[in-house]
Amino acid sequence: MKERNANASSSEKEAAGNAAASLVEDGMIIGLGTGSTTAFAIAEVGRRVREEGLNVLAVVTSYQAEMLAIEAGVPLTSLAEHPVLDLAIDGADQVDAKLNVIKGGGAAHTHEKVVAHSAKRFIVVVDESKISEELDHFVPIEVLPYARELAKKQFIELGGKPQIRLASRKDGPVISDNGNVIIDVEFGVIEDAAELSQKLSTCVGVVEHGIFLNTDEVYVGMKDGSVKII
Ligand code: 5RP
């Protein structure tokens, strides 16, 4: 799998994360995603809690987000206590012109999708390098370890080239926060994201895939330091 977006600078991510964090209002219940761009949003929400007395409760999508939120001083809650979120902020690996999104670079897309669908407003934060006319990024798919070979067979039948994500060349597979494996599947250019999303959801052994179709707005950190909202 080729490494993408390797040239994005952290200042673009920080600009996008900070802009999204400014949407958080007093009394909101928010969802916090995973990854290096969302990390800036979490840090900024934490700063506002500590310095401005912002009153907020957050649901996290991963151990990474939980650790960052605790470190930043963002008070946490759960979806069991607050099943409806006012706003969720999360990163993405690629965004197309219709705001279809591929996520899961951090292996957290299952919880991220639950949080995104629990939110009244789902904001994606990215740097400019993630924006593309069409989706052609590999699709991360969380799969039950027991079903991994069956899942690969089904992905090949759908025209994909699957690869189990490894922690490194010498280590074993990446294991998600839910104890599952991640299979990254190349589909080339994805002509119909909704159709592929539906087909992947019906594959036996699939827990969740990384195609998100419910993004409300994308905050894009630009090279010149500005933030473009699409
Ligand atoms: C984690 C994700 C991340 O949000 C996505 O990979 C983007 O991460 P980053 O902001 O570090 O580029 O989907 O599962």
Coordinates of all heavy atoms in Angstrom, one line a residue, residues 5 7 13 37 44 64 84 95 105 133 135 157 163 202 211 213 220:
N5 N -0.2 11.3 1.5 CA -0.3 12.5 2.4 C 0.9 12.7 3.2 O 0.8 13.3 4.3 CB -1.5 12.5 3.3 CG -2.8 12.1 2.5 OD1 -3.0 12.7 1.4 ND2 -3.5 11.2 3.0
N7 N 3.4 14.6 2.8 CA 3.9 15.9 2.8 C 3.1 16.9 3.6 O 3.5 18.1 3.7 CB 4.1 16.4 1.4 CG 5.0 15.6 0.6 OD1 6.0 15.1 1.2 ND2 4.7 15.3 -0.7
K13 N -2.9 20.9 9.6 CA -3.8 20.1 10.5 C -4.2 20.9 11.7 O -5.4 20.8 12.1 CB -3.0 18.8 10.9 CG -2.6 17.9 9.8 CD -1.9 16.7 10.3 CE -1.5 15.8 9.1 NZ -1.3 14.4 9.5
T37 N -4.8 14.9 13.1 CA -5.5 16.2 12.9 C -6.5 16.4 14.0 O -6.6 17.5 14.6 CB -6.2 16.2 11.5 OG1 -5.3 15.6 10.5 CG2 -6.6 17.6 11.1
E44 N -7.3 21.8 21.5 CA -8.0 23.2 21.6 C -9.3 23.1 22.4 O -9.5 24.1 23.1 CB -8.2 23.6 20.1 CG -9.0 24.9 20.0 CD -8.3 26.1 20.6 OE1 -7.1 26.1 21.1 OE2 -9.0 27.2 20.7
Q64 N -6.5 6.2 21.9 CA -5.7 7.4 21.6 C -6.5 8.7 22.0 O -5.9 9.5 22.7 CB -5.3 7.4 20.1 CG -4.3 8.5 19.8 CD -4.7 9.3 18.5 OE1 -5.8 9.3 18.0 NE2 -3.7 9.9 17.9
V84 N -27.1 10.8 21.9 CA -27.2 11.8 20.8 C -26.2 12.9 21.1 O -26.1 13.5 22.2 CB -28.6 12.4 20.8 CG1 -28.7 13.4 19.7 CG2 -29.7 11.3 20.5
V95 N -11.1 12.7 1.0 CA -12.4 13.3 0.9 C -12.7 13.6 -0.6 O -11.8 14.2 -1.2 CB -12.5 14.6 1.7 CG1 -13.9 15.2 1.5 CG2 -12.2 14.4 3.1
G105 N -7.4 5.0 8.8 CA -6.0 4.9 8.8 C -5.4 4.6 10.1 O -4.3 4.1 10.3
E133 N -10.8 14.7 -6.3 CA -12.0 14.8 -7.0 C -12.8 13.5 -6.8 O -14.0 13.5 -6.6 CB -11.7 14.9 -8.5 CG -12.8 15.4 -9.4 CD -13.6 16.6 -8.9 OE1 -13.0 17.5 -8.3 OE2 -14.8 16.5 -9.1
L135 N -12.7 9.2 -5.0 CA -12.0 8.4 -4.0 C -11.2 7.3 -4.7 O -11.7 6.6 -5.6 CB -13.1 7.7 -3.1 CG -14.0 8.6 -2.2 CD1 -15.0 7.8 -1.5 CD2 -13.1 9.4 -1.3
E157 N -13.7 -10.9 -4.7 CA -14.9 -11.1 -5.6 C -15.5 -9.7 -5.9 O -16.1 -9.6 -7.0 CB -15.9 -12.0 -4.9 CG -15.5 -13.5 -5.0 CD -16.3 -14.4 -4.1 OE1 -17.2 -13.9 -3.4 OE2 -15.9 -15.5 -3.9
Q163 N -5.2 -6.6 1.7 CA -3.9 -6.8 2.5 C -4.1 -6.7 3.9 O -4.6 -5.6 4.3 CB -2.9 -5.8 2.0 CG -1.4 -6.2 2.2 CD -0.5 -5.3 1.4 OE1 -0.6 -5.2 0.1 NE2 0.3 -4.5 2.1
T202 N -22.3 -6.1 3.6 CA -23.0 -7.4 3.6 C -22.0 -8.6 3.6 O -22.4 -9.7 3.6 CB -23.9 -7.6 2.3 OG1 -23.1 -7.5 1.2 CG2 -25.0 -6.5 2.3
I211 N -15.7 3.5 4.6 CA -16.4 4.5 3.8 C -17.5 5.2 4.6 O -18.4 4.5 5.1 CB -17.0 3.8 2.5 CG1 -15.9 3.2 1.7 CG2 -17.8 4.9 1.7 CD1 -16.5 2.4 0.5
L213 N -20.5 8.2 4.5 CA -21.3 8.9 3.6 C -22.1 10.0 4.2 O -23.0 10.6 3.6 CB -22.3 7.9 2.9 CG -21.6 6.7 2.2 CD1 -22.7 5.7 1.8 CD2 -20.7 7.1 1.0
V220 N -10.8 22.3 5.9 CA -9.6 21.9 5.2 C -8.5 23.0 5.6 O -8.7 24.2 5.3 CB -9.8 22.0 3.7 CG1 -8.5 21.4 3.0 CG2 -11.0 21.2 3.2

